[in-house]
Amino acid sequence: MRRWNGWGDEANSMDLPPTADNFLTERVGTATPLPNITLEDAVAKVPASRLPAHPLIVTAEEDRVRHARGQSLPDLFATRSGDFGVFPDGVAYPETSDQVAELLKFCSEKDVLVIPYGGGTSVVGHVNPFQSEKPILTIDMGRMNRLMDLDEESQIATFGAGTPGPQVEAQLHARGYTLGHFPQSFELATLGGWVASRSSGQQSLRYGRIEQLFAGGRMETPKGRLDIPTFPASSAGPDIREMVLGSEGRMGIISEVKVRVSKLADQENFYVIFFPDWSKAKNAAKALVQSRIQLSMLRLSNAIETETQLALAGHELQIALMEKALSFRGASTGKCMMTLGLTGSKDQCKASLAQLKKITKSFNGVYTGTMLGKRWEEKRFTMPYLREALWDKGYAVDTLETATNWENVDTLLNKMEESLRTALNSENEKVHVFTHLSHFYGQGCSIYTTYVYRTADSYEKTLDRWAKLKHSTSEVIVNNGGTISHQHGVGKDHAPFLPVEKGELGIFAIRTLCDAFDPEKRMNPGTLLVDDK
Amino acid sequence: MRRWNGWGDEANSMDLPPTADNFLTERVGTATPLPNITLEDAVAKVPASRLPAHPLIVTAEEDRVRHARGQSLPDLFATRSGDFGVFPDGVAYPETSDQVAELLKFCSEKDVLVIPYGGGTSVVGHVNPFQSEKPILTIDMGRMNRLMDLDEESQIATFGAGTPGPQVEAQLHARGYTLGHFPQSFELATLGGWVASRSSGQQSLRYGRIEQLFAGGRMETPKGRLDIPTFPASSAGPDIREMVLGSEGRMGIISEVKVRVSKLADQENFYVIFFPDWSKAKNAAKALVQSRIQLSMLRLSNAIETETQLALAGHELQIALMEKALSFRGASTGKCMMTLGLTGSKDQCKASLAQLKKITKSFNGVYTGTMLGKRWEEKRFTMPYLREALWDKGYAVDTLETATNWENVDTLLNKMEESLRTALNSENEKVHVFTHLSHFYGQGCSIYTTYVYRTADSYEKTLDRWAKLKHSTSEVIVNNGGTISHQHGVGKDHAPFLPVEKGELGIFAIRTLCDAFDPEKRMNPGTLLVDDK
């Protein structure tokens, strides 16, 4: 059963290694966890539904609790404290595009606001309802979760938009294919959500971002059905696909998604290379991607993240031995860990491995083989469970991510870390901050910064701490050449920062498009664009 | 000096080999060229300008003749017959973005229509003026032709939008970089034009389409200045870049373009491989691209194009010897020629060559080394001159291009060729038709079909023949799963066919965006979208 107040399945959890306690105490301080309410208590808080009856709409309290929040840190606070604020008035579970269209028609007739819901994994408030005089319907796409068609010659698969990552891959694997889209949210997030929020996965270097994978499909909008044909490429005017990508439910609900799939590769391995310092490590990553070495995955941890990961990895003895060997070869204090993936035919992987070794060696990289790479692969989707484990010890953990050009990476990274590290100075609270680069491009890369802080003695104050950290650093990002999001989307949390990035005319263009499809302004208000109340 | 009534520089021309006459007579029939008017006669046809005076606007007749048409076949007929129809009322040559903005303001105040003009190489009528009661100003961006900035770390170059291909590459080469965008129109076409019409170049497999190269920049619109920031990638809502790409002057004038550039590669070679038949050849191409072999260029000629190219290549003896050797190795009548490019480090090229040989061999490909590849490289931008040479012999040549999914390539290709081959049956005229595939994607490829027919005894009838060929086959394309354009854009010639591709809501979205930026509807009317008169 899916956890109602946190990440993933109730059967799954993550244990912190014994080394973690000391590490956290030293970096952040001793902590006391806040109390969690029960599902029963949460259900008791749900008010009466304001929705008129409809055969596709469920108004049961538990459904409304389970759809009231996403997976941001404030969402965790809400589900653990019971301070939800607002619940949707009901949830619908359509099984066909026609039912989605029927629901939109009903909402127009009855003046109901609509929140599209995929896997509910948003970390920026996409699916959160808001105070409104109008009733709010959440449309959960989870029952549209099947592979509807696979064109093996053109390598195009058509899925119901509510298909979550594991079901996408399982249904494709059975036919010998993969989509290759592996965001951290893979376990729960859906294809439609990835398209709506312009997601990017861990192996984007090989398979591309969702923008490259999304080949067309269907969106039900208040103005009618938009069918987007699939072409390999086209120069016929502005691309409709690109208007739907990132529309975050403001133009309509994506109901069917056509994606470009690949044959399962013969071979896939992940390797780890250590560099003596950040400058060499960063320049090696840049050289790899600008030389177009055929990697499928690349991730570069800065020195603090490297230290943190090794400290929290467990296997103390093994790690200690490895660190000794690394130190002997020039990578000791300040060392940075690079994880690389190779996917393809045996010939391709062999050739790429030789090329990447040559390049990284020229930056004093110490190649350590696949041991740590295998570990990364095993744990690649389990990081969201870490938040639960830390929460139970009284720590809050969150991430900020952006992308910027190479010439700006160090400046922005340092400003972000500094902003987070000092944000709670006035309370004398320490914040443990570390960063990795991922999603590499010739032009630049994404910066992914994690911060850990202690919960305060109340939920309210803990949320205040988060707000200080998040808002001040979001300001730093958009005012220093970073996008407000490389992979999480805009939602409600980033909406106030979007105008700095897009400019006045850019926001005008986006709003014009949204209003054209949704003239009554009932689709996911407050998301993507800040709306007048 | 640039030719006023055809392609390229007056100093350049192409001679047909002696073999060509027989080949054309046999395939199409004997022909008689139509008479060409002189520049003086054309200038004498230009009516008085209706434009109010402005220091940046030139109303001289020759400027207006030189900006009256693009490079489509009907445009050639117009400049050769003198039946221009409409001339712009004047031409402006701005040197800065501010001057572009000033001109747009002037046009708004004086109710003047605007045609943006890059290299004037459109083959679908983008730059052609149209009958209107309002005066028409063509804004020629050719003086904004400089490299304004090069960020070597992020590999981003900023250019004036009017910079033509050779100047883009020359200015980058001087610094050790390349853009790698090489459409057939390279010699004259400009960066801004490529962005506005979603161009794709011969080496798109390595460098990407212009959509991937365009990193941001500036557009002057009737609503003001739109500055698009450069990020490596972003998930922050719909992408403004993608609204400008393909906007074809309907939203504003692109004045500055930021592009992603690459370091000049260590090595580049082009190879030719012959296949015994079309089916094997096509499947080999599909296998190469779906296996992600690192090619920089791929082109596959069908049997008739292969035969035509070898017949028109000259070097009779050499070709005959090669054909004998090929025949011995299984590629005789019906053989298909594949041209492949490898670009990169020596290690990469060596590895890719081994991989491509292995794959093509499994489809019975006969590898012939670099001899014909070198020939392709020498002639890669000269094909537009061929049209002039054929014209002088009484033949008209034009191309149609589209892109479709792999499963549909054969069906669509055959229908297109059949449509062209039979379009002039009622006149008992033969049409020589041949095709190559280029611009390969995992999902499909572009189909590029060339047709040669005899000029009739008047320009009017020759244009009628073209209209029959073009319109019937464009119908075939959009009604059989092809995009109306993979690389030439929409312009005026393709605008009537766009609604089939985009659908009613798609066209509505595009028109809404255009109208938002250009509420007075003065930007390039009739282009991209069919407008009410």
Side-chain angles (χ1 to χ4, degrees):
Chain A
M1 186 79 179
R2 181 167 169 179
R3 199 167 263 125
W4 72 275
N5 61 355
W7 185 262
D9 195 283
E10 286 169 359
N12 298 335
S13 64
M14 182 189 261
D15 290 327
L16 287 172
T19 43
D21 281 330
N22 277 344
F23 187 84
L24 288 164
T25 305
E26 191 185 311
R27 304 300 163 116
V28 190
T30 54
T32 316
L34 288 166
N36 304 324
I37 67 156
T38 63
L39 177 56
E40 289 65 38
D41 289 343
V43 162
K45 287 173 174 270
V46 180
S49 172
R50 300 169 295 174
L51 274 171
H54 185 284
L56 289 170
I57 298 177
V58 174
T59 55
E61 284 81 2
E62 189 174 329
D63 290 75
R64 293 165 60 197
V65 167
R66 286 181 176 272
H67 289 82
R69 289 292 188 141
Q71 294 289 340
S72 73
L73 194 54
D75 293 338
L76 184 75
F77 299 160
T79 53
R80 298 304 177 109
S81 68
D83 293 332
F84 280 85
V86 186
F87 294 90
D89 290 279
V91 183
Y93 302 91
E95 296 182 11
T96 63
S97 286
D98 287 345
Q99 289 187 347
V100 175
E102 185 190 327
L103 286 162
L104 292 187
K105 193 160 164 273
F106 173 81
C107 289
S108 178
E109 285 164 6
K110 306 292 184 187
D111 201 12
V112 173
L113 303 180
V114 177
I115 298 178
Y117 188 102
T121 62
S122 169
V123 291
V124 286
H126 287 102
V127 299
N128 296 5
F130 33 84
Q131 210 72 51
S132 171
E133 283 171 15
K134 299 180 183 180
I136 297 167
L137 174 67
T138 292
I139 299 184
D140 181 327
M141 299 297 291
R143 290 193 190 157
M144 293 187 66
N145 58 5
R146 273 178 296 278
L147 173 62
M148 301 161 71
D149 184 62
L150 177 62
D151 170 353
E152 298 197 40
E153 195 173 357
S154 315
Q155 302 191 339
I156 298 284
T158 308
F159 280 97
T163 316
Q167 289 195 47
V168 168
E169 287 298 331
Q171 292 178 79
L172 288 175
H173 275 231
R175 306 279 294 268
Y177 289 85
T178 179
L179 175 62
H181 192 70
F182 303 113
Q184 189 82 95
S185 60
F186 178 77
E187 187 181 337
L188 299 172
T190 61
L191 213 34
W194 291 337
V195 172
S197 65
R198 289 187 172 259
S199 160
S200 188
Q202 292 160 351
Q203 285 174 269
S204 63
L205 268 180
R206 176 175 172 88
Y207 300 104
R209 296 169 61 84
I210 202 72
E211 291 97 303
Q212 283 87 51
L213 297 170
F214 176 51
R218 176 168 288 179
M219 183 160 81
E220 300 293 344
T221 85
K223 287 286 266 193
R225 174 170 290 175
L226 178 70
D227 276 320
I228 307 172
T230 65
F231 299 112
S234 166
S235 70
D239 192 342
I240 307 295
R241 281 184 328 111
E242 291 280 353
M243 301 179 187
V244 169
L245 283 157
S247 58
E248 303 198 348
R250 294 291 305 233
M251 297 178 196
I253 297 184
I254 299 161
S255 60
E256 293 173 21
V257 177
K258 289 175 189 287
V259 280
R260 296 168 179 144
V261 299
S262 302
K263 277 220 165 147
L264 285 168
D266 296 341
Q267 198 171 300
E268 178 161 270
N269 280 303
F270 299 94
Y271 305 86
V272 164
I273 294 174
F274 285 88
F275 292 86
D277 61 50
W278 174 248
S279 167
K280 286 206 170 59
K282 189 198 74 172
N283 287 327
K286 187 171 57 153
L288 285 169
V289 67
Q290 291 186 344
S291 310
R292 295 177 162 82
I293 305 302
Q294 276 195 307
L295 307 173
S296 63
M297 180 262 173
L298 184 58
R299 173 187 169 125
L300 178 63
S301 300
N302 72 357
I304 314 177
E305 182 170 296
T306 302
E307 188 189 358
T308 305
Q309 289 210 325
L310 295 177
L312 298 188
H315 309 283
E316 268 181 278
L317 193 65
Q318 213 176 345
I319 298 284
L321 279 169
M322 191 197 67
E323 291 202 85
K324 203 166 165 187
L326 283 172
S327 176
F328 182 72
R329 295 169 69 189
S332 57
T333 313
K335 66 181 172 297
C336 297
M337 182 166 81
M338 176 186 280
T339 311
L340 309 94
L342 293 180
T343 308
S345 71
K346 282 180 186 173
D347 289 346
Q348 285 172 316
C349 291
K350 194 181 158 192
S352 297
L353 184 62
Q355 291 161 26
L356 78 85
K357 280 184 176 173
K358 198 172 185 176
I359 289 177
T360 53
K361 203 174 172 187
S362 73
F363 292 92
N364 300 115
V366 182
Y367 174 79
T368 68
T370 57
M371 181 195 69
L372 286 170
K374 277 209 178 73
R375 214 186 132 68
W376 174 84
E377 195 182 356
E378 283 160 24
K379 303 272 178 193
R380 62 192 290 188
F381 304 125
T382 60
M383 291 314 290
Y385 290 100
L386 177 65
R387 191 171 69 181
E388 315 285 319
L390 287 170
W391 178 256
D392 290 341
K393 290 184 177 289
Y395 298 98
V397 57
D398 199 9
T399 56
L400 278 162
E401 45 87 41
T402 180
T404 196
N405 293 347
W406 281 115
E407 62 87 21
N408 191 43
V409 166
D410 283 346
T411 307
L412 182 55
L413 189 164
N414 291 334
K415 285 192 177 173
M416 285 167 66
E417 285 203 344
E418 180 66 14
S419 167
L420 291 167
R421 215 169 266 134
T422 59
L424 305 184
N425 272 359
S426 63
E427 302 177 51
N428 262 325
E429 282 295 316
K430 287 196 278 190
V431 184
H432 183 54
V433 183
F434 51 90
T435 298
H436 65 262
L437 309 183
S438 61
H439 303 281
F440 291 80
Y441 308 85
Q443 178 181 344
C445 63
S446 78
I447 301 175
Y448 198 93
T449 300
T450 303
Y451 56 98
V452 185
Y453 68 98
R454 285 200 292 193
T455 53
D457 55 9
S458 73
Y459 274 97
E460 204 186 345
K461 286 187 201 156
T462 307
L463 182 63
D464 279 349
R465 287 185 182 170
W466 174 83
K468 272 189 200 168
L469 289 153
K470 173 83 177 178
H471 297 158
S472 61
T473 313
S474 294
E475 290 270 1
V476 165
I477 289 172
V478 292
N479 289 314
N480 288 278
T483 166
I484 188 59
S485 177
H486 170 272
Q487 64 212 57
H488 291 162
V490 179
K492 296 186 183 67
D493 293 353
H494 289 158
F497 303 96
L498 194 63
V500 180
E501 173 168 338
K502 300 286 182 186
E504 199 183 326
L505 266 187
I507 291 286
F508 163 74
I510 294 171
R511 193 180 288 278
T512 300
L513 259 185
C514 294
D515 289 352
F517 283 101
D518 176 32
E520 294 168 343
K521 299 181 194 291
R522 65 180 72 263
M523 300 302 300
N524 223 4
T527 296
L528 184 62
L529 302 166
V530 177
D531 292 296
D532 301 330
K533 291 291 170 198
Chain B
M1 185 78 178
R2 181 168 169 179
R3 200 166 263 125
W4 72 274
N5 62 355
W7 185 263
D9 195 283
E10 286 169 0
N12 297 336
S13 63
M14 183 190 261
D15 290 326
L16 288 174
T19 43
D21 281 331
N22 277 344
F23 187 84
L24 289 164
T25 305
E26 193 186 310
R27 303 301 164 117
V28 189
T30 55
T32 315
L34 287 166
N36 304 325
I37 67 156
T38 64
L39 178 56
E40 289 65 36
D41 289 343
V43 162
K45 287 172 175 272
V46 179
S49 172
R50 299 169 296 174
L51 274 171
H54 185 283
L56 288 170
I57 296 177
V58 175
T59 55
E61 285 80 2
E62 190 174 327
D63 291 75
R64 293 166 61 197
V65 166
R66 285 180 176 274
H67 290 81
R69 290 292 187 141
Q71 294 288 339
S72 72
L73 194 54
D75 293 338
L76 184 76
F77 299 160
T79 53
R80 297 305 175 108
S81 68
D83 292 334
F84 279 84
V86 186
F87 295 91
D89 289 280
V91 183
Y93 303 91
E95 296 182 10
T96 63
S97 287
D98 287 345
Q99 289 186 347
V100 175
E102 185 190 327
L103 285 163
L104 292 188
K105 193 159 164 272
F106 173 80
C107 289
S108 178
E109 285 164 6
K110 306 291 185 189
D111 201 12
V112 172
L113 302 180
V114 177
I115 298 178
Y117 188 102
T121 61
S122 168
V123 291
V124 287
H126 288 103
V127 299
N128 297 5
F130 34 83
Q131 210 73 51
S132 171
E133 282 170 16
K134 299 180 182 179
I136 298 166
L137 174 67
T138 292
I139 299 185
D140 181 327
M141 298 298 291
R143 289 192 190 159
M144 293 188 66
N145 58 5
R146 274 178 296 279
L147 175 61
M148 301 162 71
D149 184 61
L150 176 62
D151 170 354
E152 298 198 41
E153 195 175 356
S154 315
Q155 302 192 339
I156 298 283
T158 308
F159 281 98
T163 316
Q167 289 194 46
V168 168
E169 287 298 329
Q171 292 178 80
L172 288 175
H173 275 231
R175 306 278 293 269
Y177 290 86
T178 179
L179 176 61
H181 193 69
F182 303 113
Q184 188 83 93
S185 60
F186 178 76
E187 186 180 337
L188 299 172
T190 62
L191 214 35
W194 292 335
V195 172
S197 66
R198 289 187 172 257
S199 160
S200 187
Q202 292 161 352
Q203 285 175 268
S204 62
L205 268 179
R206 177 175 170 86
Y207 299 103
R209 296 170 59 87
I210 201 73
E211 290 98 303
Q212 283 87 52
L213 297 170
F214 176 52
R218 177 167 286 181
M219 183 161 81
E220 299 293 345
T221 86
K223 288 285 267 190
R225 175 170 289 176
L226 177 70
D227 276 320
I228 307 171
T230 66
F231 299 112
S234 166
S235 70
D239 191 343
I240 307 295
R241 283 186 324 110
E242 291 281 351
M243 301 179 186
V244 169
L245 283 157
S247 59
E248 302 198 348
R250 293 291 306 235
M251 299 179 194
I253 297 184
I254 300 159
S255 60
E256 292 172 20
V257 177
K258 289 175 188 288
V259 280
R260 296 167 179 145
V261 299
S262 302
K263 277 221 166 145
L264 285 168
D266 296 342
Q267 197 172 300
E268 178 160 271
N269 279 303
F270 299 94
Y271 305 87
V272 165
I273 294 175
F274 285 89
F275 291 86
D277 61 51
W278 174 249
S279 166
K280 287 207 170 58
K282 189 199 73 172
N283 287 326
K286 188 172 56 156
L288 285 169
V289 68
Q290 291 186 343
S291 309
R292 295 177 161 82
I293 305 302
Q294 275 193 308
L295 306 173
S296 63
M297 178 264 176
L298 184 58
R299 172 187 169 125
L300 178 62
S301 299
N302 73 356
I304 314 179
E305 182 171 295
T306 301
E307 189 190 357
T308 304
Q309 289 210 325
L310 295 177
L312 299 188
H315 309 286
E316 266 180 282
L317 193 65
Q318 213 176 343
I319 298 284
L321 278 170
M322 190 198 66
E323 291 204 84
K324 205 166 164 186
L326 282 173
S327 176
F328 181 72
R329 294 170 70 191
S332 58
T333 314
K335 67 181 171 296
C336 298
M337 183 165 83
M338 176 187 279
T339 311
L340 310 93
L342 293 180
T343 308
S345 71
K346 282 179 188 175
D347 289 345
Q348 285 172 317
C349 291
K350 194 180 159 194
S352 296
L353 185 60
Q355 290 160 26
L356 78 84
K357 278 184 177 175
K358 198 173 186 175
I359 289 177
T360 53
K361 204 174 171 187
S362 72
F363 292 92
N364 302 112
V366 182
Y367 174 78
T368 68
T370 58
M371 180 194 71
L372 286 170
K374 279 209 175 72
R375 214 187 131 68
W376 174 84
E377 195 182 357
E378 284 160 24
K379 302 274 177 190
R380 62 192 290 188
F381 303 125
T382 61
M383 290 315 289
Y385 290 100
L386 176 67
R387 190 171 71 180
E388 315 285 318
L390 287 170
W391 178 255
D392 290 341
K393 290 185 178 285
Y395 298 98
V397 58
D398 200 10
T399 55
L400 279 162
E401 46 86 41
T402 181
T404 196
N405 293 348
W406 281 115
E407 61 87 21
N408 190 44
V409 167
D410 284 346
T411 306
L412 181 54
L413 189 164
N414 290 333
K415 283 191 178 172
M416 286 167 67
E417 285 204 343
E418 180 66 14
S419 167
L420 291 167
R421 215 168 266 134
T422 58
L424 304 184
N425 272 359
S426 62
E427 302 178 50
N428 262 324
E429 283 295 315
K430 287 197 279 190
V431 184
H432 184 55
V433 184
F434 51 89
T435 298
H436 66 262
L437 308 183
S438 61
H439 304 279
F440 291 80
Y441 308 85
Q443 178 181 346
C445 63
S446 78
I447 300 174
Y448 198 92
T449 300
T450 303
Y451 55 99
V452 185
Y453 69 97
R454 286 199 291 192
T455 54
D457 56 8
S458 74
Y459 274 98
E460 203 186 345
K461 286 186 201 158
T462 306
L463 183 61
D464 278 350
R465 286 183 182 172
W466 173 85
K468 272 188 201 169
L469 289 154
K470 173 83 176 177
H471 297 156
S472 61
T473 313
S474 294
E475 291 269 2
V476 164
I477 289 171
V478 292
N479 289 315
N480 289 280
T483 166
I484 189 61
S485 177
H486 170 273
Q487 64 213 57
H488 292 163
V490 179
K492 296 186 182 68
D493 294 353
H494 290 159
F497 303 95
L498 194 64
V500 180
E501 174 168 338
K502 298 286 183 187
E504 200 184 324
L505 266 187
I507 290 286
F508 163 75
I510 294 171
R511 192 181 289 279
T512 299
L513 260 183
C514 293
D515 290 351
F517 283 101
D518 176 32
E520 294 168 343
K521 298 178 195 291
R522 64 179 74 262
M523 300 304 298
N524 223 4
T527 296
L528 185 62
L529 301 166
V530 177
D531 291 297
D532 301 332
K533 290 292 170 197

